[in-house]
């Protein structure tokens, strides 16, 4: 997965401000002088991670992107992007003739206004498969813009997919919304998206500690109906045993999820035993991560590992 617990060693410094990111902080990108184009000119990947871009450099990147047709991945991770700078970037992303497949905007300062512009990008760039927004303060309003857009695109795809020459629509595979200030309203929007069974296979919701037991209950209901998601990352949330029970309730009937990550989830042995119960009836889950940061006994952890081992063995192709 490209998102995850955004791996930089970081210091406090104005990005993020929630759970995981506030705990480790975020080291600001480093400014550099002069043109940045020589760093990616002629390449299919624009990768300027951890560089604090100036307004002039943002304009330079936007101009380059608008003119090129060969860019496949675009990463301005921890690049000091605020809404004003991003307005130039997203305009170029919309206008470029390149069929961009991955956009990484992790660890910037994008809010709900930026999320609205991203939602428009999802409509206009059908090749996009991976969207990473970890650590941006999008909030519930921003999440609604993105999930509504993904549902609209999916509905349009369904309405035309049986035509002889259907239009192309964004089939997003991976979405990272970790540490984006999501609360129960945001998880409601995400749950509705999951129930629509879009193309989404990997979802990261790490570090959204505003989500309460009510939100996890809603997510559990959505997982019962979802038939597309394969990896769900929920590390550094205040899920607790009640939240785990809600998620387990939904996953008992789910046949597609393979990976569930629950590190630092405020889960005790009671929640751990719920996960054991899940694995007794759900043989499609191949990995559950509960270490570190949960108060689950060694015995219960051992049972979880044992059932995961059985699932993995059963998933191996039979030799002829």
């Amino acid at each position: 997965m490209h998102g995850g617990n955004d791996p930089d060693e970081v210091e406090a410094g104005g990005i993020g401000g929630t759970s995981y990111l506030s705990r480790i902080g975020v080291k600001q990108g480093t400014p550099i002088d002069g043109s940045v184009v020589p760093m990616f000119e002629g390449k299919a990947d624009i990768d300027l991670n951890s560089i604090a871009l100036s307004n002039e450099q943002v304009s330079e990147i936007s101009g380059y992107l608008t003119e090129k047709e060969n860019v496949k991945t675009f990463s301005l991770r921890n690049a000091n992007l605020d809404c004003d700078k991003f307005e130039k970037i997203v305009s170029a992303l919309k206008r470029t003739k390149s069929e961009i497949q991955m956009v990484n905007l992790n660890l910037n300062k994008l809010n709900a206004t930026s999320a609205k512009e991203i939602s428009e990008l999802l409509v206009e760039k059908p090749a996009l498969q991976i969207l990473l927004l970890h650590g941006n303060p999008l909030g519930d309003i921003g999440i609604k813009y993105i999930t509504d857009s993904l549902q609209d695109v999916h509905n349009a795809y369904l309405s035309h997919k049986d035509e002889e020459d259907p239009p192309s629509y964004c089939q997003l595979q991976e979405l990272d919304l970790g540490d984006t200030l999501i609360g129960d309203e945001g998880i409601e929007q995400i749950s509705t998206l999951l129930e629509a069974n879009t193309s989404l296979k990997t979802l990261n919701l790490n570090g959204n500690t505003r989500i309460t037991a009510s939100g996890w209950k809603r997510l559990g209901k959505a997982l019962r109906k979802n038939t597309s998601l394969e990896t769900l990352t929920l590390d550094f949330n205040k899920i607790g045993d009640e939240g785990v029970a809600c998620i387990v309730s939904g996953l008992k009937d789910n046949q597609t999820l393979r990976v569930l990550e629950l590190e630092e989830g405020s889960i005790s042995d009671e929640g751990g035993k719920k996960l054991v119960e899940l694995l007794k009836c759900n043989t499609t889950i191949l990995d559950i991560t509960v270490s570190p940061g949960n108060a689950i006994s060694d015995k219960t952890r051992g049972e979880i590992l044992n059932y995961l081992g059985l699932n993995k063995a059963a998933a191996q192709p039979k030799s002829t």
Side-chain angles (χ1 to χ4, degrees):
M1 189 170 66
H2 296 81
N5 294 337
D6 207 278
D8 276 0
E9 288 300 324
V10 288
E11 301 170 353
I15 302 175
T18 63
S19 63
Y20 177 75
L21 292 181
S22 64
R23 185 179 313 174
I24 62 175
V26 172
K27 183 189 295 181
Q28 296 289 327
T30 303
I32 63 172
D33 295 328
S35 174
V36 294
V37 168
M39 301 176 68
F40 53 78
E41 192 167 17
K43 299 179 180 179
D45 306 316
I46 295 179
D47 189 345
L48 296 176
N49 294 332
S50 296
I51 297 174
L53 298 170
S54 66
N55 287 317
E56 293 75 14
Q57 289 166 337
V58 166
S59 295
E60 181 184 38
I61 294 166
S62 300
Y64 179 92
L65 184 61
T66 300
E67 297 174 358
K68 298 302 176 181
E69 299 181 3
N70 67 325
V71 178
K72 296 300 182 183
T73 69
F74 183 79
S75 181
L76 298 186
R77 177 182 172 281
N78 194 15
N80 195 36
L81 293 182
D82 57 18
C83 293
D84 291 336
K85 290 178 180 177
F86 182 65
E87 187 174 356
K88 296 178 182 178
I89 294 294
V90 76
S91 177
L93 286 169
K94 291 175 183 177
R95 287 182 290 137
T96 184
K97 295 180 181 179
S98 294
E99 296 185 354
I100 295 179
Q101 298 171 7
M102 188 273 280
V103 172
N104 183 348
L105 299 168
N106 285 352
L107 301 180
N108 285 294
K109 304 171 185 176
L110 310 182
N111 61 17
T113 300
S114 301
K116 185 175 182 180
E117 295 172 325
I118 291 169
S119 72
E120 296 166 359
L121 185 68
L122 292 166
V123 175
E124 298 186 30
K125 305 307 290 185
L128 188 61
Q129 297 178 27
I130 299 171
L131 177 61
L132 310 179
L133 299 169
H134 200 118
N136 288 283
L138 304 176
D140 291 338
I141 295 174
I143 298 306
K144 179 172 172 54
Y145 284 130
I146 292 170
T147 55
D148 281 354
S149 181
L150 286 171
Q151 286 188 81
D152 288 345
V153 169
H154 182 62
N155 290 336
Y157 162 75
L158 292 177
S159 66
H160 293 283
K161 69 182 181 68
D162 294 327
E163 295 177 2
E164 184 175 338
D165 187 20
S168 296
Y169 293 99
C170 176
Q171 297 289 295
L172 199 71
Q173 304 284 307
E174 178 175 346
L175 179 61
D176 188 343
L177 297 175
D179 285 277
T180 49
L181 302 181
I182 298 171
D184 287 348
E185 290 183 20
I187 205 69
E188 169 66 35
Q189 302 302 323
I190 291 167
S191 297
T192 301
L193 178 67
L194 291 176
E195 288 172 340
N197 286 309
T198 67
S199 55
L200 196 64
K201 295 184 182 301
T202 298
L203 176 63
N204 178 4
L205 298 176
N206 285 0
N208 286 297
T209 57
R210 298 183 180 189
I211 301 171
T212 70
S214 176
W216 298 124
K217 183 177 181 179
R218 178 67 183 91
L219 181 63
K221 290 181 178 178
L223 291 171
R224 184 177 295 116
K225 298 179 181 180
N226 182 266
T227 58
S228 61
L229 201 65
E230 296 177 0
T231 298
L232 177 61
T233 306
L234 302 175
D235 298 337
F236 299 94
N237 283 301
K238 297 177 181 177
I239 297 175
D241 296 332
E242 184 177 359
V244 166
C246 294
I247 292 167
V248 163
S249 177
L251 287 177
K252 285 182 177 180
D253 295 322
N254 183 291
Q255 295 299 307
T256 57
L257 196 76
R258 300 292 182 266
V259 178
L260 176 63
E261 299 186 6
L262 294 167
E263 294 179 22
E264 298 273 354
S266 301
I267 303 167
S268 76
D269 212 44
E270 179 184 345
K273 290 176 180 178
K274 291 290 184 182
L275 294 172
V276 173
E277 292 177 14
L278 169 64
L279 292 171
K280 288 180 179 179
C281 63
N282 185 322
T283 60
T284 59
I285 296 177
L286 304 180
D287 190 16
I288 296 180
T289 306
V290 294
S291 298
N294 292 305
I296 299 174
S297 69
D298 290 342
K299 179 177 181 295
T300 301
R301 289 176 195 268
E303 289 184 73
I304 292 172
L305 290 173
N306 179 59
Y307 281 105
L308 287 172
L310 293 173
N311 285 359
K312 290 174 183 178
Q316 294 296 318
K318 299 290 189 292
S319 58
T320 57

